[in-house]
């Protein structure tokens, strides 16, 4: 009978919707013709009305019987409410069967600000109905059906004293909700509330005019007298709002009607209404509404006759779903609310419940911030974990038993095939005689252990609800917390199964425990088992969820372990066995298990952060462990491991027997030797690599020890290597077993390396031992590989830091044999590649700029503070004097300008009389002090200089310090021309601060015993250079220095002199590198603009402004035939037209700039600013402007001369073009 009534309900509701939308009736029913009713039609309609009356009575009977069935559940729920209230806890929301966080009092007294407390029954759409009020509303509606039919003759129907109750949890504070109700218009996805205050009697009393609309179908209007009061209820301050309809003639103010925008307008009369706003946890508000409403539909007789009966049917159909008199909760999906409301409007329903349901939905959507509420709920749980009840004996037994389950799969589980490269490790174990497997997944998640634990434990969040709705079609699900006063909870959840299979439901008992490991890290365990276990272990409470009896009951038991790795990363191990009570082939069960384990992948992706940042956090945490465990004794097994690996470095201090290997990098030194092989090893060379890293020894050791870091895994994937994994994190924190497979070219087999690694720390640094072991590793598939052997020792020692940069020295000794039939000579050729891990670590911790800054700062401080303490020899003074006269005695007019690649660096050249090689000069202004600039040039062995040196073909570079102001500089460059030997320069370099405050540096050829000529290897070249640094006035607080660089270099040999002179620009670009290093163009330009803006603000409209504006408009008027062109900026719109007759081009660009008008004008007016120089194609630019800004005629004026170099794609020669312009700003 229930199924029949439900089906009839849906059919009648669907039919009413079709009629309201003008759709044809279902097959079998004659179509309706809109014409004047005949007596036959009237009799047919009366018969149809009688049939529907019988149907409605059957539905009412079903509803009353359903209410009786829920009474027992209601009592249990009310007891749970009282427990939650007494414990002072709340969930922040409700699920379909979860106790509400803001439960109203149990008294149905209408004068109470809260409606009756009840736990509604689960429904398919997740809408909740207070069963205690259902019959009263149903009786009222049934009693009004006769009146509705009678009223169809007059075109008006009325419902008297229909009581409507709503309760909803809003994501805002009460005051914010109050302002939304009686303030500005409130809009939402399915509703539009428009309101205005017609009359305000006092701060807490007013007359308001509301209009609630839905699309163009129906609108509701209410003229209400509102009284706001503040009360204290059960220790909480609440806002109480009374609503009563007033007639327009009862107030002395004209009520302006709202614009009619809907097909129907329903006027509502609230005889007795009340809204209560009560504060809830996590910044929410529980809003309850109670109203006795009468209403009418203003429409024509024909329209009423056509829709009255369908309206009545739809009203009762919605009532049976629990919508007309319902309790809308935050945990209920808003989707069903929208759908029900739509069906009500489309069917032509004119029920007051529409208006108040629409209001609730609009308010919820207005303040909806489910993710933020979830965050607060999880944080609240995390902050109050310590206050949880102690574990009961049953909970302890459950956790212990499921920990045993975890050990079973650890010992016997097999890796799932094809998952060895999966970022989540997945294993499976089929217990003997069991119909279900035990699955295990291990994943590293990029959030803290505490956050992940709260995320997994708290089951009543909006996100959990949405996920269940999307994945399981809103099948029944409920959560009951604090079972019998413990920390346990019950979750009953229904899972959607594929078509053809019955859905399964699971009744599970959850509990948790927090532990502290020996090393101080936190570990959290979540265990769950079927609720039968809870009752067996002494539990007394058990909750039934209505609607699940028609499904098959499954069972699940699991242990989830969340272990802290760092403050913001953790490892999640999930071991679970699920029995779905079905007999399927093992292959299908494995596939279902694999799908289930993908949850860890989704969770990992959801919280994934930047891999480099995660590695940094991991290494910091491990480095801290190493510092804390300095001097901790090793186990006997570890002592033996270090003893064997230490043999690799024996005798290395003397260097005897070690031969240098050519290294691809200048950062590391490589060498090799042959040591006696151990048992089972071949006579393969042992390699050594040394380098300095910009970090502490502990950080470097953590980098090497973290075998499967994000960066190293990424590089392994780029090489398309098969697996790389940590087989086992041993119980000892300083030990791990790792495995990797290296790709080898066909026809060779891939090589597999399995090794044990351990570390020990002391005051000097950290030592890591690494040695191959014999162990079978489960890769999930059979790999046809050859087992290689490797032994390594890392010695990492702390060095004195450079400023704030810590440094350490790393030495790696490594023996690596690919084994098989590969000759040892071939293996030795690959030794530099295997030692390259040291270079990777150097690059990972590189801080070149900071180290170089320290070196330059030391030199600059010496020049600034101790220049007067320097004592110069006669030869040093002579070097300075000769260089000064050689270069600065040149006449300015003799210099010939040469085009520079840097528009801010001016380059010239002159040929001295009788000379074969020209003298080059480069001049620029640098945004730094003279000492900083001179220090940059003097510090020749900085990392930046070495990088530039190698970029430009440098082979050798060395400095021998003579004293604080003098040094020998040796450098070798490869000319890059086949048949030409590299060139070698050896110079004496001296610096001195002059009496006028300038600094000079001179270079002159010299002979030195440490650098004898090597004619068979290099050609000794000649060079003379001179630098002058002169400080200028600061610009916008930025120091300025004019730098002049002179050079005359002769590479000797048979190189033609014209070719040498043509390369002078390349050598002088060294000054451009200095300029770019200290460039502060943004600060300089900004300071200049700031000075000009006040002057621009003084501009006034002067005489002749109209003519200027007309000229401007004429110039920028769009030309006929112009075309839109692609601009370098996506936000800019550009047009262009080529005037063929005049060989000129007209163009226009417009865009929006995020700056003030005057600031943009200042930026454009400074034609010689660095910004304008960089974005133009000008080779040279001269600007003549009135320094006072505004001229006597009241505007800005300047003359600009620009020289541009024209280039041809067809290799044609063009002369430079000079453009002279008069520029004005009005």
């Amino acid at each position: 009978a229930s199924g029949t009534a439900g089906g009839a309900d849906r059919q009648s509701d669907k039919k009413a919707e079709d009629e309201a939308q003008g759709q044809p009736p279902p097959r079998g029913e004659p179509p309706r013709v809109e014409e004047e009713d005949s007596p036959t039609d009237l009799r047919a309609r009366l018969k149809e009305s009688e049939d529907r009356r019988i149907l409605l009575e059957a539905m009412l009977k079903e509803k009353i019987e359903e209410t009786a069935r829920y009474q027992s559940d209601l009592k249990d729920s009310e007891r749970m409410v009282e427990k939650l209230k007494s414990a002072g806890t709340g969930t922040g929301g409700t699920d379909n069967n979860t106790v509400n966080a803001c439960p109203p009092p149990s008294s149905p007294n209408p004068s109470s600000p809260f409606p009756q407390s009840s736990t509604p029954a689960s429904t398919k759409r997740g809408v909740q109905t207070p069963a205690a009020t259902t019959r009263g509303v149903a009786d009222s509606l049934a009693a009004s059906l006769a009146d509705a039919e009678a009223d169809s003759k007059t075109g008006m129907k009325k419902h008297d004293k229909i009581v409507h109750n709503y309760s909803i949890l809003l994501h805002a504070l009460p005051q914010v909700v109050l302002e939304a109700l009686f303030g500005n218009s409130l809009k939402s996805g399915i509703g539009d509330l428009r309101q205005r205050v017609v009359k305000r009697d006092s701060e807490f009393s007013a007359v308001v005019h509301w209009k609630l609309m839905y699309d163009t179908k129906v609108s509701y209007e209410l003229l209400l007298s509102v009284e706001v009061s503040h009360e204290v209820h059960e220790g909480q301050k609440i806002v109480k709002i009374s609503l009563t309809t007033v007639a327009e003639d009862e107030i002395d103010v004209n009520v302006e009607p709202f614009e009619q925008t809907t097909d129907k307008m329903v006027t509502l009369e609230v005889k007795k209404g009340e809204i209560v706003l009560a504060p809830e946890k996590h910044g929410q508000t529980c809003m309850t509404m109670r109203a006795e409403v009468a209403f009418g539909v203003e429409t024509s007789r024909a329209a009423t006759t056509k829709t009255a009966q369908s309206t009545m049917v739809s009203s009762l159909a919605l009532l049976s779903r629990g919508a007309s008199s319902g309790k809308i909760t935050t945990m209920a999906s808003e989707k069903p609310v929208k759908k029900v409301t739509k069906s009500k409007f489309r069917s032509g329903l004119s029920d007051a419940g529409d208006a108040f349901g629409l209001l609730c939905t609009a308010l919820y959507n207005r303040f909806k911030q489910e993710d933020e509420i979830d965050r607060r709920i999880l944080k609240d749980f995390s902050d109050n974990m310590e206050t949880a009840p102690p574990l009961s004996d049953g909970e302890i037994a459950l956790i212990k038993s499921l920990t045993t389950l975890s050990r079973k799969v650890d010992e016997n589980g097999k890796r799932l095939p094809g998952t060895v490269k999966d970022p989540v490790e997945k294993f499976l174990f089929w217990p003997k005689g069991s119909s279900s497997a035990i699955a295990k997944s291990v994943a590293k998640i990029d959030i803290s252990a505490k956050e992940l634990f709260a995320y997994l434990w708290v089951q009543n969040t909006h996100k959990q609800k949405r996920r269940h709705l999307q994945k399981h079609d809103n099948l029944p699900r409920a959560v009951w917390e604090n079972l019998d006063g413990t920390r346990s909870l019950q979750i009953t959840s229904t899972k959607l199964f594929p078509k053809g299979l019955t859905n399964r439901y699971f009744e599970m008992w959850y509990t948790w425990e927090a532990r502290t490991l020996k090393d101080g890290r936190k570990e959290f365990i979540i265990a769950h088992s079927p609720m039968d276990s809870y009752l067996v272990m002494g539990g007394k409470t058990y909750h039934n969820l209505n609607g699940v009896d028609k499904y098959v009951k499954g069972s699940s038991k699991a242990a989830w372990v969340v272990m802290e790795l760092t403050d913001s990363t953790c490892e999640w191990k999930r071991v679970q066995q699920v029995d779905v009570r079905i007999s399927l082939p093992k292959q299908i069960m494995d596939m279902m298990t694999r799908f289930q384990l993908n949850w860890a992948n989704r969770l990992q992706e959801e919280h994934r952060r930047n891999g480099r940042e995660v590695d940094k956090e991991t290494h910091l945490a491990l480095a801290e462990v190493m510092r804390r465990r300095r001097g901790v004794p090793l186990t006997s097994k570890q002592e033996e491991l270090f003893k064997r690996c230490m043999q690799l470095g024996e005798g290395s201090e003397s260097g005897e027997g070690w031969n240098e290997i050519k290294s691809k990098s200048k950062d590391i030194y490589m060498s090799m030797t042959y040591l006696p092989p151990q048992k089972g090893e071949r006579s393969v060379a042992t390699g050594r690599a040394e380098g300095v890293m910009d970090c502490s020894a502990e950080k470097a050791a953590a980098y090497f020890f973290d075998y499967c870091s994000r960066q190293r895994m990424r590089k392994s994937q780029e090489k398309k290597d098969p697996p790389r994994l940590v087989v086992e994190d041993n119980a000892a924190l300083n030990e791990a077993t790792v495995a990797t497979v290296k790709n080898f070219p066909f026809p060779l087999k891939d090589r597999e390396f399995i090794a044990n690694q351990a570390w020990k720390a002391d005051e000097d640094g950290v030592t890591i031992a690494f040695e191959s072991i014999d162990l079978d590793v489960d890769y999930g598939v059979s790999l046809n590989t050859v087992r290689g052997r490797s032994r390594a020792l890392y010695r990492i020692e702390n060095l004195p830091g450079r400023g704030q940069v810590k440094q350490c020295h790393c030495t790696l000794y490594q023996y690596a044999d690919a084994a098989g039939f590969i000759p040892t000579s071939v293996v030795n050729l690959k030794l530099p590649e295997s030692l390259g891990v040291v270079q990777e670590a150097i690059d990972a911790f590189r801080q070149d700029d900071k180290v170089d800054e320290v070196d330059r700062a030391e030199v600059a401080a010496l020049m600034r503070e101790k220049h007067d303490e320097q004592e110069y020899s006669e030869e040093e003074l002579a070097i300075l004097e000769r260089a000064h006269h050689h270069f600065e005695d040149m006449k300015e007019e003799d210099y010939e300008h040469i085009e520079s690649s840097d528009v801010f660096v001016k380059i010239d050249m002159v040929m001295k009389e009788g000379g074969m090689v020209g003298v080059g000069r480069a001049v620029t202004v640098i945004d730094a002090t003279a000492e900083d600039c001179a220090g940059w040039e003097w510090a020749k062995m900085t990392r930046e200089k070495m990088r530039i040196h190698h970029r430009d073909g440098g082979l050798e570079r060395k400095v021998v310090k003579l004293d604080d102001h003098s040094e020998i500089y040796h450098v070798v460059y490869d000319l890059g021309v086949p048949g030409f030997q590299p060139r070698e320069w050896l110079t004496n370099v001296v610096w001195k601060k002059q009496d006028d405050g300038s600094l000079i540096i001179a270079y002159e050829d010299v002979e030195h015993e440490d650098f004898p000529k090597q004619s068979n290897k290099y050609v000794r070249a000649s060079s003379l250079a001179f630098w002058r640094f002169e400080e200028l006035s600061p610009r916008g607080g930025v120091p300025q220095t004019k730098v002049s660089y002179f050079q005359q270099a002769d590479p000797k040999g048979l190189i033609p002199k014209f070719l040498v002179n043509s390369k002078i620009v390349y050598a002088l670009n060294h000054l451009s590198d200095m300029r770019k290093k200290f460039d502060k163009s943004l600060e300089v330009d900004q300071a200049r603009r700031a000075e000009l803006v006040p002057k621009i603000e003084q501009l006034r409209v002067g005489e002749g402004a109209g003519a200027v504006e007309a000229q401007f408009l004429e110039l920028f008027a769009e030309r006929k035939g112009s075309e839109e062109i692609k601009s370098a900026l996506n936000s800019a719109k550009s047009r262009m037209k080529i005037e063929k007759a005049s060989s000129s081009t007209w163009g226009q660009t417009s865009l929006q700039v995020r700056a003030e008008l005057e600031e943009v004008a200042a930026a454009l007016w400074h034609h010689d600013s660095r910004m304008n120089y960089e974005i133009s194609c000008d080779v040279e630019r001269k600007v003549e402007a009135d320094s006072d800004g505004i001229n006597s005629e009241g505007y800005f004026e300047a003359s600009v001369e620009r020289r541009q170099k024209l280039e041809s794609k067809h290799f044609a020669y063009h002369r430079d073009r000079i453009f002279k312009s008069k520029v004005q700003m009005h």
Side-chain angles (χ1 to χ4, degrees), residues 284 416 695 706 785 804 830 908 934 1134 1143 1169 1206:
Q284 301 178 95
L416 280 174
C695 63
D706 189 8
T785 60
Q804 299 297 320
K830 291 291 184 179
D908 306 289
S1134 300
S1143 300
S1169 68
L1206 303 186

Side-chain angles (χ1 to χ4, degrees), residues 60 145 267 311 337 432 501 514 519 614 778 816 824 870 1051 1092 1210:
L60 281 173
L145 291 178
T267 56
T311 296
V337 177
K432 188 175 181 180
L501 297 177
D519 59 351
V614 173
D778 179 13
T824 57
Q870 306 300 313
L1092 184 59
H1210 306 287

Side-chain angles (χ1 to χ4, degrees), residues 1111-1151:
Q1111 183 182 5
F1112 175 87
L1113 295 176
E1114 180 184 0
L1115 175 64
F1116 278 86
E1118 185 176 330
R1119 298 294 195 269
K1120 184 177 181 180
S1122 63
E1123 297 179 353
E1124 187 171 345
I1125 61 174
K1126 186 176 181 180
S1127 174
L1129 291 174
N1130 293 331
S1131 58
K1133 295 181 180 180
S1134 300
R1135 303 190 67 84
M1136 184 181 72
K1137 182 184 180 183
I1138 300 176
E1139 305 286 356
K1140 296 182 179 180
S1142 59
S1143 300
S1144 63
T1145 303
W1146 172 90
Q1148 181 194 71
T1149 296
S1150 62
L1151 73 159

Side-chain angles (χ1 to χ4, degrees), residues 566-580:
T566 68
D567 290 342
S568 54
T569 60
C570 64
E571 180 184 86
W572 177 35
K573 181 169 75 172
R574 176 191 180 200
V575 179
Q576 190 159 352
Q577 184 178 23
V578 180
D579 187 357
V580 295

